[in-house]
Amino acid sequence: MVVLEGMAPSDAGAVDELARSILGHASAVELDALVGVPAKSMHIALAPAGVAFRQGKQMSAYAWSEIHEVRVRRGTVLLKTEAARERIVRKKDATTIQPYTEKRTRGIRVIVDGVAESGIAAPLSRVLEDMRARRFSFQGTSWITYVNSLDALHTDFDANDDPIIPMTAASLWLAVGLIAALVIPVGVNAATLRAVPAGAFALWDPLGTLDPRGLIAGFAFSAMVAGFALRLALGRAAVIWGHGAARGWARPDSGPLKRFATRQLARIVMAPASAATIVLLALLAFWPNVAATVLVSPSGVRNTVLVPFVSVEEPWRAAVEITRQANGTAIRFADGRVLTTVGHELGGGTQQQFFDLTSAWRKAATR
């Protein structure tokens, strides 16, 4: 079937209409959730007509007959759908609309006050199963169990809202963070040290004690350690406290500033995956310091990088000028490159030895 350019599939309007009818249903069950991989925050509505997903202005919906399976895995509700859809296929000579069967499996994690809660997965799956089987009722067991599981989150948190926990978590996070922020630059600097060949010099860039990358990596690492220590010491009570505090459920008599600090602390120490990602990115940011070294030898200047086949070599005959500066030596090459020892770590000799030998090597190469 040939269609005009820009024409939409005929099922798009039907899907949008189904989504609007579900979202606008007077007794729809509505919830926020993280959906898919990577997780996207969506608003979900359940109604007698089906289930609808909304993210901003984008909507999708499925009738219950298109829901083929509902199951729970690792605190996530997996929703398997098979629906008849149409798509536009553009070819060289024409644009056509072709039918196909959309098969998708969505992972749903319920969000409660901004924090995903795995304990709601099983009750939610029973609600979905009852709606799919057309036996759902607000007086039924599945709905009452779901509501009770939501209420239990507050009850469990109130039972574990001990002021000692945030004090311990904050102390551990700060202590380990400060130690790690000091140790990580030392370790990276040790990794950059390489044996300098005899009769040559090496230039590299050591990290400072207060390097921002070291601070970020250190405190992200300490968040992982603090979260692990709390789970090891308190078990599930640590998870209950962390989720509740991250939702802002701390004691109202603690004051707004303390509640804000406790909420941010819980978000930091109870998110090991995010902390591990930050640590990895911070360590990758050290790569320019670890990888790059400049070797200065009688054969010339070689910028080496710990990547195969990547290096820049400058022979001495390309050196235009070598000048002695207040704190080092500068070498200017014909292509405009300038090598200076100022601000870099020098290995293999002193600044004066570097100037004397490089001048002699250049003079010997230009004879």
Side-chain angles (χ1 to χ4, degrees), residues 176-193 204-219 221 282-283 285-286 289-290:
V176 176
L178 289 173
I179 294 173
L182 295 174
V183 171
I184 288 176
V186 175
V188 174
N189 288 337
T192 62
L193 293 177
W204 66 88
D205 296 312
L207 291 177
T209 305
L210 298 179
D211 189 285
R213 294 167 294 181
L215 294 174
I216 293 172
F219 281 97
F221 175 75
L283 293 179
F286 291 134
N289 297 79
V290 176

Side-chain angles (χ1 to χ4, degrees), residues 104-337:
R104 300 187 63 176
T105 300
R106 284 183 169 90
I108 301 173
R109 289 187 296 160
V110 179
I111 296 176
V112 180
D113 288 346
V115 179
E117 180 57 55
S118 59
I120 307 298
L124 177 62
S125 68
R126 289 191 283 271
V127 171
L128 289 167
E129 285 286 8
D130 283 356
M131 285 193 166
R132 189 165 74 100
R134 307 289 183 178
R135 59 172 180 265
F136 174 78
S137 170
F138 286 106
Q139 287 78 39
T141 303
S142 63
W143 176 250
I144 294 175
T145 302
Y146 176 74
V147 173
N148 288 341
S149 63
L150 291 175
D151 294 338
L153 296 178
H154 286 273
T155 304
D156 293 343
F157 175 73
D158 291 340
N160 292 278
D161 188 15
D162 190 336
I164 298 298
I165 298 178
M167 292 175 58
T168 304
S171 301
L172 187 60
W173 177 61
L174 290 173
V176 176
L178 289 173
I179 294 173
L182 295 174
V183 171
I184 288 176
V186 175
V188 174
N189 288 337
T192 62
L193 293 177
R194 301 181 182 85
V196 181
F201 297 91
L203 294 174
W204 66 88
D205 296 312
L207 291 177
T209 305
L210 298 179
D211 189 285
R213 294 167 294 181
L215 294 174
I216 293 172
F219 281 97
F221 175 75
S222 70
M224 297 172 56
V225 173
F228 176 77
L230 287 177
R231 288 183 174 90
L232 186 64
L234 302 177
R236 178 159 175 75
V239 178
I240 294 173
W241 172 83
H243 287 180
R247 293 179 178 119
W249 294 352
R251 300 174 185 272
D253 56 354
S254 59
L257 183 60
K258 187 176 180 180
R259 291 180 65 188
F260 175 79
T262 301
R263 184 174 189 177
Q264 301 310 314
L265 175 66
R267 289 181 172 180
I268 290 171
V269 301
M270 302 307 293
S274 299
T277 302
I278 294 173
V279 170
L280 178 60
L281 293 176
L283 293 179
L284 289 176
F286 291 134
W287 183 252
N289 297 79
V290 176
T293 301
V294 179
L295 292 177
V296 183
S297 66
S299 61
V301 177
R302 183 178 183 183
N303 295 271
T304 61
V305 182
L306 295 181
V307 178
F309 314 115
V310 177
S311 64
V312 179
E313 296 188 10
E314 294 279 10
W316 286 117
R317 62 178 178 272
V320 175
E321 184 183 19
I322 300 178
T323 57
R324 187 76 165 92
Q325 299 176 335
N327 298 318
T329 300
I331 304 174
R332 186 165 58 88
F333 294 93
D335 60 2
R337 295 175 184 267

